[in-house]
Amino acid sequence: MNIHEYQGKELLRRYGVAVLDGHVASTPEEAEAAARKLPGPVYVVKSQIHAGGRGAGRFKEDPNGKGGVRVVKTVEDAKAAAAAMLGKTLVTKQTGETGRVVSRVYVEAGCHIARELYLGLLVDRATSRVTVMASTEGGMEIEEVAADHPEKILRVAVDPASGISGFHARKLAFGLGLKGGQVSAFTKFVTALYRAFTELDCAIVEINPLVVTGAGEVVALDAKVSFDDNALFRHKDLEALRDDGEMDPKELDAVRHDLNYVALDGEIGCMVNGAGLAMATMDIIKLYGSSPANFLDVGGTADAARVTEAFRIITSDANVKAILVNIFGGIAKCDMIASGIVAASKNLHLQVPLVVRLEGTNVELGKKILAESGLSIIPAENLADAAEKAVRAVKGAA
Ligand code: ADP
Ligand code: MG
C-alpha cells in the first residue's frame, strides 16, 4: 500500500527523521493559511499524488505551464499555485498518459539545497535483508542511475538480528562524500529511517532527494513510503492512510472482495487461480497475438460467489472482448468450479465469449456441467487451445 508524501513525512517525523515543516491543504484558502503558519520567505507547494516525477510533470489543463512542485515567495503565490494544481490532472513519467487528479497539496517550508542525494530502503529478497541504497545522483530516477551508472549506487545490507549500526551509516556517508558534522547528521537520519522502516513493516522507503542544506543539515525533501500489504493487519492505524481515490476502481472493488486483481490494457479478461498460472496465461495470450486486459487471481476458493464477483469486475472493463478462465481444480474441485461459472454467467447475463479450460480433480464432471448448461461456453482442452480460442473470439468480435 502506498501513501502520500505528506503522510509519509508525518510518520517519519515521529521516528526522528529530519523533515521540513509543512501542512496539507485541499483548497487554495487552506494552502494560503498553511503558508502563513510557516516562517517563509520561501514556500514550496507540492501536488500530492501517488507518483513521482511531479516536479517535471505537467498539468493536462495547462500543458505549457509549470509542474506539480512549485517554489513561491509569498503566501498569496502559495494560494495561486494551489489553485493551479487542485482539481487538475497531473501527468508525470510515472502516471502514464491518463495522469492523476490532484486533490491535496502539501505546503512546505522552502529549503536551501547544497546537495541532492538519493537514499532508499527496501527488502532485498535475494539476501532476505533490508538493503540501504544511496547515491550522489539525487533527484534522478534511481532506475536510470542503475542503468547508466551502476557504480554510483552504494548498497549496504543490514542483518536483521543486529540492526543498523554506525558502521553501516559511516560507510554510506563516506561513499556519498559527506564531511564533518554531515556524517553524524546522516547517521542519525539513516538510523531513524531504518527504525521507521522495520517498525512500520515497510516494503520501500525512498528519499529522493535527500538534501544537504546550506547549513549542513541532512533533510528528506521527498518521501515515498510503501507498506508491505501482508503486514498491514499489524497496523490498523495505517489502513486509515489508504487513499481510495488513488486506486483503479476495479482494483479497489477486488480488494474489497479479497480478489487479486491488476488492471492491464489488453482485451482478454483472465480469471485464474494462482499467480503462476496467471503469468503463464498472460504469456500464452501474448504468444497467440492478443493481450490480457487484467490479471485476476480468484485464489483457492473458486465458488459461485467469488466467480460472480470476478466476472463482474472483469466485465466492468469496457476493453474486455472475451474472457478466458483457466483454473486448476485441486482443493476446489472442477465440478464445483464449473457450477460456479455456470451460475455466474447466468447471474450476470454474460455477453462476451467465454473460453474455459479446466484441469484437475473431477475435470470430466466439470466439463459435463459446462456442456449441459445450455450456455455458449467455449470449452478448451489445454492452455494453448484455450489461448487460441480466446484470441480467435476476440478477433471475431472486432
Ligand atoms: P518529485 O520527485 O515527485 O518530482 P520532489 O519532492 O522530489 O517531487 O520535488 C522535486 C524537486 O523540487 C526536488 O528535487 C527539489 O529540487 C525541489 N523541492 C522539493 N521540495 C522542496 C523544498 N521544500 N524546498 C526546496 N526545494 C524543494
Ligand atoms: Mg522526488
Side-chain angles (χ1 to χ4, degrees):
M1 182 183 98
N2 297 325
I3 57 172
H4 289 293
E5 173 196 5
Y6 79 92
Q7 296 167 323
K9 285 181 170 172
E10 176 59 43
L11 283 174
L12 295 181
R13 185 182 284 121
R14 291 187 211 156
Y15 284 86
V17 177
V19 293
L20 299 165
D21 278 342
H23 306 280
V24 67
S26 44
T27 64
E29 292 70 30
E30 280 176 24
E32 180 180 350
R36 278 191 202 285
K37 288 191 234 164
L38 299 172
V42 179
Y43 314 91
V44 182
V45 182
K46 310 181 74 174
S47 305
Q48 297 299 290
I49 56 169
H50 286 188
R54 296 164 299 166
R58 286 292 172 268
F59 286 92
K60 272 197 174 163
E61 294 79 359
D62 184 15
N64 300 317
K66 292 186 191 150
V69 175
R70 301 188 191 177
V71 179
V72 296
K73 299 227 168 70
T74 66
V75 296
E76 291 78 19
D77 286 349
K79 181 181 179 184
M85 296 176 185
L86 290 164
K88 307 288 189 327
T89 303
L90 182 57
V91 178
T92 81
K93 251 180 145 176
Q94 292 183 11
T95 62
E97 271 309 300
T98 35
R100 296 281 173 85
V101 177
V102 177
S103 39
R104 264 156 294 183
V105 295
Y106 190 49
V107 184
E108 190 175 61
C111 163
H112 175 232
I113 302 172
R115 289 184 70 197
E116 293 203 345
L117 309 169
Y118 172 93
L119 185 66
L121 269 65
L122 52 87
V123 181
D124 179 356
R125 286 162 197 251
T127 58
S128 309
R129 289 178 178 195
V130 173
T131 294
V132 185
M133 298 204 303
S135 171
T136 51
E137 308 305 292
M140 282 183 53
E141 278 186 52
I142 199 66
E143 291 81 1
E144 281 177 29
V145 181
D148 301 340
H149 295 285
E151 76 286 356
K152 290 193 173 168
I153 301 180
L154 308 164
R155 284 188 182 80
V156 170
V158 180
D159 186 326
S162 46
I164 197 160
S165 70
F167 159 76
H168 295 117
R170 280 191 298 278
K171 191 171 169 193
L172 293 166
F174 294 135
L176 291 170
L178 299 178
K179 302 261 162 9
Q182 296 169 6
V183 176
S184 51
F186 177 83
T187 301
K188 184 166 174 273
F189 188 100
V190 75
T191 305
L193 195 63
Y194 179 84
R195 221 189 105 218
F197 186 96
T198 50
E199 287 186 17
L200 296 171
D201 288 314
C202 293
I204 294 176
V205 171
E206 198 175 51
I207 308 298
N208 190 19
L210 170 75
V211 301
V212 180
T213 68
E217 290 155 336
V218 174
V219 183
L221 228 56
D222 193 2
K224 173 180 172 175
V225 175
S226 172
F227 304 108
D228 179 348
D229 290 347
N230 296 313
L232 275 178
F233 73 96
R234 298 206 284 211
H235 305 280
K236 289 292 171 221
D237 49 331
L238 296 181
E239 290 270 10
L241 301 179
R242 188 193 298 277
D243 182 353
D244 293 349
E246 283 285 334
M247 287 179 75
D248 179 302
K250 293 189 289 303
E251 292 185 3
L252 189 62
D253 200 357
V255 167
R256 295 208 174 111
H257 290 97
D258 201 25
L259 297 163
N260 287 313
Y261 176 89
V262 178
L264 301 168
D265 53 12
E267 50 195 1
I268 297 183
C270 305
M271 194 184 94
V272 298
N273 61 344
L277 198 55
M279 297 290 179
T281 306
M282 295 194 295
D283 279 350
I284 203 154
I285 286 173
K286 283 267 185 197
L287 187 68
Y288 279 91
S290 183
S291 52
N294 70 282
F295 168 125
L296 193 147
D297 176 5
V298 289
T301 47
D303 57 17
R306 283 173 72 77
V307 174
T308 303
E309 291 308 334
F311 277 175
R312 192 178 53 70
I313 292 168
I314 290 176
T315 51
S316 67
D317 178 351
N319 294 324
V320 170
K321 304 274 186 322
I323 299 177
L324 197 170
V325 174
N326 187 18
I327 290 197
F328 182 80
I331 298 167
K333 299 185 181 62
C334 289
D335 53 325
M336 207 193 93
I337 297 162
S339 306
I341 293 170
V342 170
S345 314
K346 286 184 178 162
N347 285 344
L348 293 168
H349 307 289
L350 212 60
Q351 300 297 328
V352 293
L354 174 62
V355 180
V356 180
R357 182 246 177 170
L358 293 175
E359 198 53 81
T361 315
N362 291 357
V363 62
E364 291 311 325
L365 191 54
K367 284 183 179 168
K368 189 161 171 270
I369 292 170
L370 294 180
E372 291 172 359
S373 67
L375 297 167
S376 55
I377 294 171
I378 306 167
E381 285 310 312
N382 53 48
L383 195 45
D385 186 38
E388 197 180 349
K389 283 174 174 162
V391 173
R392 204 183 309 139
V394 164
K395 304 284 183 221

